[in-house]
């Protein structure tokens, strides 16, 4: 498991990094935590000629609440998220997710930016950020632009980032009162990608679900919001019956395929179980 | 024992492991740490196909890669008569193929380069043309008349390799004919891999000036390897030195000879430079010998009152492309005929047929004492199966059928003589520890609420310590083992042994044997092994044989030294040797305890003041040929909870009571049990190497070969009883494999118990969430 030849660049700031991307025009790849890219290179599934390592670029690792959102720098590691008090207290869904991403060793290196930039339907953050209706900040030589998360994931391993853009920040709307969220994942063992997982964020007012965001992991070709399931929640009372019916919708809305993690029917059943449990956990947290 | 001299640290004490400081400080020397001047690196071109004709190999583009010095193919080896090698089971295996490949990831060519990266680039540059042939994946279909032949070189028109039987067929048929009830089950024990954390590899260094070949190699059996290399290559044995340095886990996977070792040796002979070959993880998982892969049909015959009378077992053994097991040669199915277990049966008959398929070769004993895992799984599952059929409590049925402790030595219906056992006591302790009665009550309450909880028992008998040399050999080399002890003048010692640690703690426990037998502090005793130029000849460490064989040799050698020491002590104390007694780790004059000599004083005298006419020095050698195997046993109880929504099985509690006779170091034994239980849980719940219909390995990396970590591992609750082996010099039995062998059926029995009210009678391992979920939903569908 030896990668092919590549040239290694260490830019000092985002501007330099974006300039290198533009210069090598499709031949270069950003290296963040390397926990997805390096395995692919070792298996020679990816053979970039140039690697642009962001690890020496300052100012891309932070977790701050400002201007009506929670801003997370792209290079923030999973373990930084995992141990952050704001996340733990106010964004439990993110804590749920980081706790079950890979294993502690990988979490020390893997970045949240890399997790979504990779656009792997098996990764856990895409579903979470879809459920939370996050925005993504892309930075290029010519400046920044904000991409709504719904427009970010275009296909398996394909995002809305231009080839010379770098993902620099993730913005999550500040939780309104009455918000409850949860992420439940089933994996074969710690460090495994999901057999299936369900992310939900809901606002409950007077016992009724006023808003809902739902997305699922590893049961579709690329990460997308589960709009039918959301519709099965919104406007209905936050009761076990609603959750069971919406969970049934989720199990039909997902598009799993059979593999080593189990056949299609099993994955649908897992989604039903996890969705029902995630919905009631989120509703509980909303109180 | 040892009360006033705590520093001796003999039997039953737990000094810290002598090897640990070196490992904890990162100062171990593994094969990949060996770096020699001028050393080259080898990487291997492997087949993407399970079965294909090789029509052309173009090595030119690789040779044009700067830094690539040589590319070795089957043709080169064929010219040197080395394209094939013998397996330890006297089969033959390709080193590099000339005509066709017979498993995916098979070695096809090797690139030798100045560094590891260049070697990998060279591998990418070799062009191989294949003409795919139909894969032979299903071992049952492999036996059909029109199946493609995996090994036409064998000159037979079938993929069948061998047939083997044990027990008395007629007597068994008779018992079955008049028994009240017969239960039958098909069990599949899937193909798994040892997945040692250190992969395999070697550094081969041929010194053309003195004609000596030195091989640093990840091997559990350096001496046997040296002999095989000498016989195959024609290099005289004294010109071959095999050094097995620190080994990062072996578990049976480092007993066989892999093609890579042979090619590296050829490459060193060819280039005149040292050549290093270290497998990567995928190569290790995809090409090295696998374990298990037994398709078993078992039957038990019993009377209505629960007395088990007979057993029949028919098995198809999928050996892949070569029978590369490392079993004793008279035992092609290993010690599988121990499958009557801890129960007193009238008759049993066991048959095994082996078959070639297009999968990697093997059948290695993965921490299973030569197929005892398969045997124990069979009997322990079948007893539970019978309990369900008779509506009996599985503990109760076991008590009824245990071989009573008065009946040892016990002659089993398949011909083994069990040395000692007290199965009832072990199960008593285990049930008491886990609180069996209360758990059954809890289960009934939970079941009424629709919750799934199960309790599983396994009361297994192991068979380890091969072996008596009249029956046990590997390629003709008898399975004795050896020890050499030399006491230095100041009372410290060096011990060299024929077995080879891979983490078992030999450097500590073998020092403790000498400490106990000679009264020398454990800290003053060095244990060495693994270098064929210095260690005495031995067959190596696997099948839990080190303590029963080399451990016995160490005690016997030490006792020889003690005998000589007695004469020196008599000389020093000016008395008759018969007036001396060995007590409290010293020789003292009977009745006059003040007049005594310690071994340290005696050792000094052995070099400075020994009696006239006696040889100076204090040393001894023993090659120990055990009179019988040893039969460790245990009682395991497992409690599981199952999530009906996901099918996930959670082990809530697991109590393991083991009996390995006299315990040398309780801490090390406990460590062995913890590791072994985890390795028993692994295939029960996680591990399997499945193949698709084209013979592609579906679990060729750690993303899909699910090695459990500490996070999946429950809190093991261990304990022991002590029933010494009557024939071992200090009563010890092997222990390293008991937990791997005993744990799986306890877990499966617990899961089946949790689902039995739904009509579930058996589940094959691994009991993955989706498999369990399907059983639950299918059962709900039939009752609905
Ligand atoms: C054993 C193991 C288990 C794992 N299990 C899980 C799991 O259960 N769940 C899960 O979600 N993930 C899992 N992962 C993946 C891990 O979380 C990855 O590290 C993560 O998906 C990618 O983050 P990274 O920082 O390592 O990115 P890298 O590997 O460095 O990059 C990944 C891709 O994203 C691009 N990229 C990275 N950062 C940027 C950026 N700022 N701008 C533009 N492009 C960028 C890279 O060019 C590359 O194409 C696992 C990884 C391993 C090794």
């Amino acid at each position: 498991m030896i990668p092919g030849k590549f040239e290694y660049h260490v830019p000092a700031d985002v501007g330099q990094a974006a300039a290198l991307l533009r210069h090598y025009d499709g031949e270069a790849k950003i290296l963040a935590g390397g926990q997805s890219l390096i395995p692919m290179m070792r298996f020679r599934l990816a053979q970039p000629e140039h690697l642009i390592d962001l690890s020496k670029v300052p100012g891309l690792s932070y977790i701050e609440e400002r201007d009506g959102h929670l801003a997370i720098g792209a290079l923030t590691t999973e373990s930084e998220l995992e141990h952050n008090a704001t996340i733990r207290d106010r964004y439990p869904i993110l804590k749920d997710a980081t706790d079950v991403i890979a294993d502690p060793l990988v979490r020390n290196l893997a970045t949240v930016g890399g997790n979504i930039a990779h656009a792997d339907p098996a990764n856990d953050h895409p579903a979470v950020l879809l459920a939370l209706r996050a925005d993504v900040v892309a930075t290029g030589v010519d400046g920044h632009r904000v991409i709504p998360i719904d427009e970010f994931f275009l296909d398996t391993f394909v995002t809305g980032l231009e080839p010379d853009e770098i993902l620099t920040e993730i913005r999550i709307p500040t939780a309104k009162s009455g918000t409850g969220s949860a992420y439940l994942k089933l994996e074969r063992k710690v460090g495994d990608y999901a057999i299936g997982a369900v992310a939900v964020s809901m606002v409950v007012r007077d016992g009724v679900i006023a808003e809902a965001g739902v997305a699922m992991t590893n049961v579709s070709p690329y990460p997308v919001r589960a709009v039918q399931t959301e519709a099965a929640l919104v406007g209905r009372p936050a009761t076990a019956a609603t959750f069971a019916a919406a969970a049934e919708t989720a199990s039909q809305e997902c598009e799993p395929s059979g593999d080593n993690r189990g056949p299609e029917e099993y994955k649908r059943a897992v989604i039903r179980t996890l969705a029902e449990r995630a919905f009631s956990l989120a509703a509980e947290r909303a109180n | 024992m040892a009360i006033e001299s705590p520093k001796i640290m003999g039997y039953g004490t737990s000094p810290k492991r002598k090897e640990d400081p070196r490992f904890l400080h990162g100062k171990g020397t593994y094969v990949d740490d060996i770096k020699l001047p001028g050393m080259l690196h080898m990487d291997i071109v492997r087949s993407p196909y399970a079965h294909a004709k090789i029509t052309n190999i173009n090595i030119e583009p690789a040779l044009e890669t700067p830094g690539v010095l040589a590319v070795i193919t089957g043709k080169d080896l064929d010219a040197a008569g080395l394209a094939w090698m013998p397996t330890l089971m006297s089969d033959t295996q390709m080193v590099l193929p000339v005509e066709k490949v017979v498993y995916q990831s098979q070695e096809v060519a090797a690139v030798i380069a100045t560094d590891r990266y260049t070697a990998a680039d060279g591998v990418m540059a070799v062009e191989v043309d294949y003409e795919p042939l139909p894969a032979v994946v299903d071992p049952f279909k492999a036996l059909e008349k029109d199946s493609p032949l995996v090994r036409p070189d064998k000159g037979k028109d079938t993929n069948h390799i061998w047939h083997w039987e044990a027990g008395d067929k007629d007597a068994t048929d008779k018992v079955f004919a008049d028994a009240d009830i017969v239960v039958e089950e098909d069990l599949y024990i899937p193909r798994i891999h040892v997945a040692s954390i250190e992969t395999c590899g070697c550094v081969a260094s041929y010194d053309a000036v003195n004609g000596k070949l030195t091989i640093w190699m990840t091997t559990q059996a350096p001496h046997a390897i040296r002999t095989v290399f000498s016989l195959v290559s024609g290099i005289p044995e004294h010109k071959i030195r095999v050094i097995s340095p620190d080994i990062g886990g072996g578990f049976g996977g480092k007993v066989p000879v892999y093609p890579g070792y042979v090619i590296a040796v050829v490459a060193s002979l060819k280039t005149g430079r040292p050549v290093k070959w270290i497998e990567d993880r995928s190569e290790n998982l995809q090409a090295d010998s696998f374990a298990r892969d037994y398709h078993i049909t078992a039957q038990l015959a019993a009377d209505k009152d629960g007395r088990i009378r007979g057993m029949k077992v028919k098995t198809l053994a999928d050996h892949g492309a070569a029978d590369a097991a490392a079993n004793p040669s008279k035992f092609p199915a290993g010690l599988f005929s121990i499958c009557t277990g801890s129960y007193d049966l009238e008759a049993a008959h066991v048959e095994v047929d082996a078959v070639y398929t297009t999968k990697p070769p093997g059948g290695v004993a993965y921490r299973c004492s030569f197929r005892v895992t398969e045997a124990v799984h069979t009997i322990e599952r079948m007893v539970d199966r019978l309990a369900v059929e008779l509506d009996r409590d599985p503990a109760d049925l076991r008590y009824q059928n245990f071989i009573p402790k008065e009946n040892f030595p016990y002659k089993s219906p398949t011909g083994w003589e069990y040395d000692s056992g007290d199965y009832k006591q072990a199960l008593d302790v285990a049930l008491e520890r886990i609180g069996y009665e209360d758990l059954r009550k809890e289960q009934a309450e939970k079941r009424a609420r629709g919750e799934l909880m199960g309790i599983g028992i396994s009361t297994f008998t192991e068979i380890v310590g091969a072996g008596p040399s009249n029956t046990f050999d590997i390629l003709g080399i008898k399975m004795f083992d050896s020890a050499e002890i030399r006491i230095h003048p100041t009372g410290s010692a060096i011990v060299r042994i024929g077995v080879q640690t891979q983490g078992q703690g030999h450097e500590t426990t073998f020092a403790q044997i000498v400490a106990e037998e000679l009264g020398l502090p454990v800290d003053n005793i060095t244990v060495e092994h693994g270098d064929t130029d210095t260690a005495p000849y031995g067959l190596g460490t696997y099948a839990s044989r080190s303590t029963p064989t080399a451990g016995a040799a160490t005690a016997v050698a030490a006792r020889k030294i003690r005998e000589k020491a007695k004469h020196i002590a008599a000389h020093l104390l000016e008395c008759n040797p018969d007036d001396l007694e060995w007590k409290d780790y010293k020789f003292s004059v009977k009745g006059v305890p003040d007049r005594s000599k310690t071994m340290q004083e005696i050792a000094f005298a052995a070099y400075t003041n020994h009696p006239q006419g006696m040889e100076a020095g204090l040393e001894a050698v023993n090659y120990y040929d055990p009179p019988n195997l040893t039969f460790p046993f245990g009682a395991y109880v497992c409690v599981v909870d199952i999530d009906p929504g996901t099918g996930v099985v959670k082990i809530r509690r697991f109590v393991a009571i083991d009996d390995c006779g006299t315990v040398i170091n309780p801490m090390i034994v406990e460590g062995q049990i913890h590791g072994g239980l985890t390795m028993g849980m692994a295939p029960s719940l996680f591990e399997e190497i499945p193949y698709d219909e084209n013979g592609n390995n579906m679990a060729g990396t750690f993303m899909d070969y699910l090695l459990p970590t500490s996070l999946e591992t429950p809190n093991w609750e261990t304990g022991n009883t002590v029933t010494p082996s009557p024939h071992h010099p200090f009563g010890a039995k092997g222990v390293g494999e008991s937990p791997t062998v005993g744990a799986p059926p306890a877990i499966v029995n617990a899961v089946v118990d949790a689902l039995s009210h739904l009509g579930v009678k058996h589940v094959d391992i691994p009991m993955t969430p989706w498999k369990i979920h399907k059983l639950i939903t299918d059962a709900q569908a039939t009752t609905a």
Side-chain angles (χ1 to χ4, degrees), chain B residues 450-470:
Chain B
E451 291 169 39
L452 302 175
M453 163 191 170
I455 307 152
I457 299 173
S458 159
T459 46
F460 64 91
T461 289
E462 251 275 54
I463 168 168
V464 303
S469 66
N470 55 357

Side-chain angles (χ1 to χ4, degrees), chain A residues 29-37 54 74 100-102 106 110-111 114-115 117-118 123-124 161 166-167 185 191-193:
Chain A
K29 276 222 157 265
I30 293 288
L31 177 70
Q35 298 302 294
S36 289
L37 184 55
L54 291 189
V100 294
I101 286 178
V106 172
T111 67
N115 195 294
H118 194 46
N123 274 1
D124 293 296
L161 287 176
I166 294 163
L167 192 165
K185 167 178 174 178
D192 189 22
Y193 292 93

Side-chain angles (χ1 to χ4, degrees), chain B residues 307-328:
Chain B
R307 191 165 57 93
I308 308 173
R309 300 187 50 203
M311 183 182 202
K312 283 187 190 173
V313 182
K314 271 192 198 312
T315 292
L316 189 58
D318 182 346
H319 270 272
D323 182 357
N327 292 325

Side-chain angles (χ1 to χ4, degrees), chain A residues 8-19:
Chain A
Y8 176 70
H9 307 267
V10 190
D13 55 42
V14 177
Q16 272 186 25

Side-chain angles (χ1 to χ4, degrees), chain A residues 92-93 96 128 131 180-184 198-201 277-279 281-282 285:
Chain A
I93 185 174
D96 289 348
V128 171
S181 63
Y183 184 67
L184 289 187
V198 176
V200 57
S201 174
R277 292 174 188 176
F279 298 158
L281 178 59
R285 285 173 174 172

Side-chain angles (χ1 to χ4, degrees), chain B residues 7 100-101 143 207 240 322 331-332 391 397 399 434 574 592 615 619 661 725 729:
Chain B
K7 289 214 307 255
K100 67 166 189 169
V101 290
L143 288 178
D207 180 338
I240 301 178
F331 299 88
D391 198 19
L397 189 64
Y399 279 123
I434 202 125
E574 296 175 340
V592 198
E615 270 184 58
E619 60 183 78
S725 169

Side-chain angles (χ1 to χ4, degrees), chain B residues 470-588:
Chain B
N470 55 357
T471 29
F472 289 95
D473 69 85
I474 285 187
L475 290 178
I477 306 165
K478 303 290 190 184
M479 295 185 75
F480 56 81
D481 229 292
S482 60
E484 223 178 67
I485 306 171
R486 186 172 301 159
I487 313 293
H488 307 316
T490 52
S492 57
I494 182 156
V495 184
R496 292 194 169 107
I497 51 180
V499 290
Q500 165 65 35
T501 192
Q502 312 120 45
Q504 292 90 340
H506 289 15
E507 287 167 46
T508 308
T509 49
F510 281 72
Q512 284 183 265
I513 297 172
V514 175
E516 174 75 29
E517 298 289 342
L518 293 182
L520 296 172
V522 73
D523 284 348
N524 296 352
I525 301 163
T526 300
V527 175
E528 279 187 6
H529 49 60
D531 182 340
T532 57
D533 267 8
T534 56
Y537 203 98
L539 268 280
T541 292
Y542 40 84
S544 303
R545 65 186 296 278
S546 292
T547 300
T549 59
T554 305
V556 172
R559 287 171 194 180
K560 285 192 197 171
I561 288 175
R562 202 162 74 200
E563 191 51 35
K564 178 171 180 181
K566 188 177 186 180
H567 286 84
I568 300 173
H571 166 71
L572 297 175
L573 293 164
E574 296 175 340
C575 68
N576 189 309
D578 293 342
D579 293 337
L580 291 176
E581 61 181 351
W582 175 253
K583 228 184 130 194
D584 298 335
Y585 297 121
K586 56 191 175 214
F587 281 114
S588 40

Side-chain angles (χ1 to χ4, degrees), chain B residues 335-393:
Chain B
L335 310 182
F336 186 57
S337 61
I338 190 74
C339 60
T340 56
S342 310
Y343 313 101
D344 193 4
L345 271 56
E346 288 163 46
H349 186 241
V350 186
E351 292 175 78
V352 183
D353 287 277
V355 60
Y356 289 126
T357 58
T358 53
K359 296 172 201 164
V364 297
Y366 168 11
R367 207 169 180 173
C368 77
S369 324
F370 302 133
R371 302 287 188 187
V372 181
T373 310
E374 290 90 327
V376 164
H377 205 103
T378 306
I379 183 68
E380 289 305 309
R381 273 278 44 242
M382 291 310 289
V383 171
D384 261 47
R385 183 75 182 69
L386 179 67
V388 169
E389 208 67 29
L390 295 171
D391 198 19
R392 286 279 301 274
D393 179 274

